[in-house]
Amino acid sequence: MSHAPVFHGSWIGSTSVGSPFWGVPAPYVRKSFALDRPIQKAILSVTALGLYECEINGRKVGDMILSPGWTNYHKRVYFQTHDVTDLLQIGDNAIGAILGDGWYCGFVALQPRQSYGDRPQFLAQLEVTMADGEVFIVVTDESWKTVASPVLQNDLLAGETYDARLEKSGWSAAGFADGDWQSVEVFQHPNLMVEKSPAPPVRRIGEIQPVATIEKSASSSGGLAIIDFGQNFTGRVRLTVRGSRGQTIKLRFAEVLNPDGTLYTENLRAARVTDYYTCKSSEEEVWEPRFTFHGFRYVEISGIKKGQSFQILGVVLHSDMPVTGSFRCSHPLLNQLQQNIVWGQKSNFLDVPTDCPQRDERLGWTGDAQVFIRTACFNMNVRGFFHKWMQDLRDAQRPNGAVPAIAPDCDSVQNIEEGGPAWADATIICPWTIYLCYGDVQILADHYDSMKRFLEFVTLNRCKNNIRSHPDLNKFGGFGDWLALDGSGNEGGTARDLIGTAFYAYDTEIMSRIATVLGREEDVQHFTHLHGRIVEAFRRRFVTPDGLMAGGTQTTYVLALHFGLIPEAARASAAKELVRDIERRGLHLATGFVGTPYLLEVLGKNGYLDIAYKLLEQETFPSWLFPIKNGATTIWERWDGWTPEKGFQDKDMNSFNHYAYGAVGAWMYGVVAGLDVDPEQPGYQHIRFQPRPGGSITWAEASLQTARGEASIRWEINEGVFRSSVKVPVGTTATYYPPLESESPVVLKAGFHDLSWPLVAG
Ligand code: BGC
């Protein structure tokens, strides 16, 4: 049972306030108290509007980073609880916190600061149960004191500025003289829900040593070096330096370098992404910022003098989700692709699923999360993470049922009120995926009404004759097949009404299944009928009887085939059209965010597994492996983020760490290695092993930590024989579908199994 206190105190904060354009030093707040008897147990419940790090008697409480995370602070904020029994003592005690601006009042996306409020605020309650059973409570109230800390500036996008000369040694210790500190200001937020977070906290998950240090123009006056971590990631650096009192060291960050070896920071747009540290002595000093994070591979350090020694360590930050999956195969570049996908997930699952971690954006774009969630569920346990984000999404839902483009919602960000096809639909697709992968009925029940309201909104406001995003409506029709190479939406490419109607059909199909799971019989009927009408409307408008489709882009065919929108008799010719386009492009894809996740699956399921493998193994532009051939260590936002002919794409939108195209990961687990969930028995109660070998791959393996234990598969092809070993966890069963479809499936019980088949039909 979670400990859920009623907070008896008030929100407290400093008297100094920044502005929409500049911040003030992060405040310290503190309070002394005495305990006169032995203690049995002490629980601290704590949160902030903004960010906090809490200390008791000079020792940091917990190991969470950027707490309490990001929510729509007008509605909801999460608190954390810590057992702090060991930090307390009989006699004098002190509790303190340092408060950061974070999402609450720092820069969020492209907007001025102070999106939710003008200064960080803190709420805490310490409940000490004495040995004799009596409970002593310390709450935040007007008796607390505050003063500016050495953190002169702190911002998630801009970076942090720290002057060690201003440190107040022992500021959170008992007996510290706080006589010259000011009284705090007190605030009330009676309508704000303060709840326990369902999400795993952000922590320091790893450390990365630099792989190279490139010294540049070191001189006695300044000095400058670029450090390469060899990996694009999200986090910050820990600096160890022996400088001199008053010396300021500047750190800038970038994902890639310009051809001349300098940092390429243009794609960060307005995000300053710069940290400053001012030394307090000539001794060795160690510093890591508290209230910022960057997306980077390279760090430029300046302010170092000739001969001064320094060290820099990369600190990886993300939501602390257990790693559940692994994938490997005989193709080294595909193994690197898997690594890049995992790094894309680590880099963008920082309390909220973000589009990117580096530029002045870092928002919970619904479309991106929807596209990637299936793959995310293989790599890590994202159940709690998505429970939290689904609440963010529900908090962002408009009274008319519309689901916006971004969650959490944020006043200052021009949130698109209705995210449009493939973006807003995250509200149905994400809980459904969590249900399939974890057998989690609760997430369906929690959000069912909100999903229904969303579909009602779409039906009433975004459809004409069952065509969603119908051009006659003259309303925002969505982002199209975002960043597709054959055009997005209005600039040609896959038509928005086609994408809209395809996802409308998909939503209603999922809803009828969810209604079945939840036992809502009437709704099952309703959504099944609606689905039938949408499919008819789709066919009338977009599909000719012989399977040709208006527009004819790859995504057009991919969506129609994947969502079952093509009449059975025309499927083969539609699939042929898709392949024709791929071949016309010299075996290259042209799909954007919307079509890419299903591209290989559609090819594989419609008789073109060979073409699917050609695309997966394609190394020339555009392809998954092209960035890897060019040194990528994460997934790029755009297929053409950089090309030898054109160099960098448009600096205004060119992230090298967007996870969307990493959605191919689910196909590598499910089809290349051959481990997948059975949608009829969610949560891996029954496992499907169905490897479909192809291309140049001679062996593959995947493992997955399911709720019931580890499931795994390995296969290899040797002299025309396909050999496979699988592990079926206790309490589950599995079916193995042999690579030759002429062979019968094998039902497997829990345990280890070795199977083999000749690869030529006998
Ligand atoms: C984001 C995307 C997002 C898109 C919406 C971009 O700026 O980075 O990933 O989905 O806007 O079209």
Side-chain angles (χ1 to χ4, degrees), residues 269 355-356 359 361 365-368 405 416 423 479 482-483 593 637 652-653 655 658 660:
R269 305 193 304 214
D355 56 338
C356 56
R359 67 180 178 224
E361 188 144 2
W365 282 97
T366 46
D368 305 43
I416 294 157
W423 268 252
F479 297 100
W482 189 246
L483 302 180
F593 277 30
E637 177 176 25
D652 290 333
M653 233 191 62
S655 145
H658 250 63

Side-chain angles (χ1 to χ4, degrees), residues 193-409:
M193 286 180 271
V194 184
E195 296 177 348
K196 183 111 180 139
S197 174
V202 175
R203 290 202 169 92
R204 288 186 186 84
I205 306 292
E207 295 183 345
I208 308 188
Q209 293 287 348
V211 294
T213 300
I214 312 149
E215 299 241 5
K216 303 230 158 199
S217 66
S219 73
S220 53
S221 58
L224 185 140
I226 289 181
I227 288 107
D228 177 5
F229 286 100
Q231 175 63 54
N232 199 7
F233 69 102
T234 293
R236 49 211 190 191
V237 295
R238 188 174 310 140
L239 169 70
T240 304
V241 65
R242 194 182 284 275
S244 55
R245 184 173 166 83
Q247 181 181 355
T248 297
I249 289 149
K250 179 177 174 186
L251 300 161
R252 293 169 65 232
F253 301 81
E255 297 179 284
V256 285
L257 298 180
N258 284 308
D260 67 0
T262 55
L263 295 189
Y264 174 74
T265 54
E266 284 80 354
N267 69 335
L268 305 178
R269 305 193 304 214
R272 190 189 67 179
V273 194
T274 307
D275 295 336
Y276 295 92
Y277 177 74
T278 300
C279 303
K280 64 182 171 198
S281 72
S282 50
E283 301 296 307
E284 185 172 278
E285 294 173 25
V286 180
W287 176 70
E288 181 188 325
R290 287 184 169 83
F291 296 134
T292 195
F293 68 88
H294 316 302
F296 64 103
R297 168 176 167 169
Y298 300 94
V299 187
E300 179 201 82
I301 178 162
S302 50
I304 291 287
K305 298 202 175 105
K306 202 171 182 177
Q308 278 182 342
S309 72
F310 72 89
Q311 280 162 7
I312 281 194
L313 187 71
V315 179
V316 179
L317 302 179
H318 57 84
S319 290
D320 194 356
M321 304 161 291
V323 171
T324 47
S326 71
F327 167 88
R328 269 181 355 118
C329 69
S330 57
H331 193 315
L333 294 181
L334 291 181
N335 293 339
Q336 183 64 42
L337 175 61
Q338 165 65 13
Q339 287 312 306
N340 291 9
I341 294 169
V342 170
W343 276 105
Q345 180 164 350
K346 291 178 172 198
S347 308
N348 285 298
F349 276 40
L350 192 141
D351 203 52
V352 165
T354 55
D355 56 338
C356 56
Q358 73 298 82
R359 67 180 178 224
D360 57 349
E361 188 144 2
R362 313 186 192 182
L363 296 167
W365 282 97
T366 46
D368 305 43
Q370 175 275 115
V371 162
F372 187 65
I373 185 170
R374 180 66 190 95
T375 297
C377 292
F378 275 114
N379 291 326
M380 295 176 203
N381 186 331
V382 298
R383 184 176 174 176
F385 180 83
F386 272 100
H387 265 265
K388 186 258 176 195
W389 187 69
M390 282 311 302
Q391 185 62 57
D392 293 334
L393 195 54
R394 205 162 89 193
D395 285 347
Q397 187 171 28
R398 302 304 189 243
N400 65 0
V403 172
I406 294 163
D409 217 353

